[in-house]
Amino acid sequence: GGGAAGTAGTLALLLGEGSKRLPQAIIIGVKKGGTRALLEFLRVHPDVRAVGAEPHFFDRNYERGLAWYRDLMPRTLEGQITMEKTPSYFVTKEAPARISSMSKGTKLIVVVRDPVTRAISDYTQTLSKKPDIPTFESLTFKNRTTGLIDTSWSAIQIGIYAKHLENWLLYFPIGQILFVSGERLISDPAGELGRVQDFLGLKRIITDKHFYFNKTKGFPCLKKAEGSSKPHCLGKTKGRTHPDIDQEVVQRLRDFYRPFNMKFYQMTGQDFGWD
């Protein structure tokens, strides 16, 4: 049938037509970067159809096969884009080869955020589930006296973006990966969404008219969520207050990440302004 617009399109969907397709675009990372916000903002677009839950296909469920994966997808009409997000793909060794073997043309989106605040946010999330874990400080260092940082701790490991990106570039050209700034997604959601819509080849339908800034949450929210007339902010688990972390520890982490950040800026041709 024709495009997604218009009565015919709506009717076709109501009649359960349209077909499930493998995703042409995937938000592959990063954890605590702003991936949920990006997906919810994108779903406002009439030509974007996305899976709500994270499928974790290319990291945890790969043995279930592509048919299983495809069945999770929403039905789409011609001209609509099927999407999913699973932020752990970015740090999964096997994911690039697996996605590439599904389709070399898959468009990849990575939402990145200052690795230090990302690590603290990651820790905060874990803390909310397991209140008795050790302090952030004690998990950060292999040895507090020597100041040696424990890079095996996933909260720190994930933020070494340059290292993970190298793995993806073995399978995908850099032009097929869009890097979204988690900070700008908050300060200028419409601007970042403009870049995303362009990258996906979509009409720029999502603009600043769609957002309002919620002062309580410190977040942009949608005036109308997908398929609803109510305003919609992200849920209670989003935008948690971070615990106070020793400034000396924060500084040590800034110094640790700096060379990796610089390398990442070089690789992507984007300065994210984290230093």
Side-chain angles (χ1 to χ4, degrees):
T7 320
T10 312
L11 186 59
L13 275 183
L14 284 174
L15 294 170
E17 290 174 25
S19 30
K20 296 184 177 196
R21 295 179 178 92
L22 290 166
Q24 300 93 327
I26 305 177
I27 299 171
I28 58 171
V30 306
K31 186 184 181 197
K32 308 315 299 170
T35 59
R36 174 54 60 191
L38 177 62
L39 189 67
E40 294 307 310
F41 294 168
L42 260 181
R43 288 169 78 169
V44 168
H45 201 293
D47 286 335
V48 169
R49 303 280 288 124
V51 187
E54 297 175 5
H56 283 281
F57 176 64
F58 296 103
D59 56 353
R60 300 183 202 156
N61 292 304
Y62 196 61
E63 42 337 302
R64 294 179 184 236
L66 280 170
W68 175 85
Y69 183 50
R70 194 174 91 168
D71 198 52
L72 297 176
M73 300 299 146
R75 292 183 179 278
T76 53
L77 298 167
E78 225 173 293
Q80 289 185 318
I81 289 179
T82 303
M83 288 188 76
E84 69 118 315
K85 82 138 181 130
T86 305
S88 48
Y89 290 164
F90 188 61
V91 299
T92 301
K93 206 78 193 124
E94 304 77 19
R98 288 169 173 178
I99 293 176
S100 167
S101 85
M102 170 182 75
S103 164
K104 282 186 169 43
T106 312
K107 290 181 178 181
L108 308 171
I109 299 175
V110 191
V111 189
V112 285
R113 173 188 187 183
D114 181 322
V116 179
T117 43
R118 198 222 65 83
I120 297 168
S121 177
D122 200 331
Y123 173 79
T124 307
Q125 176 177 341
T126 309
L127 188 63
S128 73
K129 297 176 186 166
K130 304 180 187 167
D132 44 358
I133 53 164
T135 63
F136 181 84
E137 287 80 1
S138 65
L139 290 166
T140 298
F141 298 106
K142 269 205 182 76
N143 180 331
R144 184 75 211 249
T145 333
T146 59
L148 252 184
I149 283 169
D150 188 354
T151 54
S152 70
W153 182 29
S154 73
I156 284 167
Q157 175 67 233
I158 291 170
I160 309 172
Y161 304 142
K163 186 186 146 233
H164 304 300
L165 179 55
E166 280 180 334
N167 191 28
W168 288 87
L169 295 180
L170 301 172
Y171 297 88
F172 292 93
I174 191 93
Q176 219 166 300
I177 311 174
L178 181 72
F179 301 92
V180 172
S181 159
E183 286 84 12
R184 280 200 303 265
L185 195 55
I186 292 171
S187 64
D188 177 22
E192 282 301 274
L193 263 292
R195 294 179 60 236
V196 178
Q197 290 170 99
D198 291 352
F199 174 71
L200 294 174
L202 295 164
K203 271 214 213 71
R204 282 201 176 201
I205 287 173
I206 309 166
T207 64
D208 35 21
K209 293 187 203 38
H210 287 89
F211 300 99
Y212 70 95
F213 193 80
N214 181 303
K215 290 195 180 59
T216 320
K217 274 191 115 39
F219 260 115
C221 299
L222 292 166
K223 286 183 184 160
K224 289 186 170 65
E226 182 211 24
S228 155
S229 55
K230 289 196 189 69
H232 172 68
C233 285
L234 295 177
K236 285 190 265 308
T237 65
K238 302 301 177 184
R240 294 187 186 95
T241 318
H242 293 178
D244 277 328
I245 307 293
D246 183 339
Q247 272 319 108
E248 191 199 337
V249 174
V250 172
Q251 197 47 56
R252 279 289 294 108
L253 275 176
R254 295 225 160 274
D255 297 342
F256 165 77
Y257 278 121
R258 191 167 299 109
F260 297 112
N261 289 346
M262 293 304 142
K263 178 88 204 288
F264 185 65
Y265 296 176
Q266 266 182 325
M267 292 170 83
T268 59
Q270 272 171 264
D271 181 335
F272 290 89
W274 295 324
D275 287 291

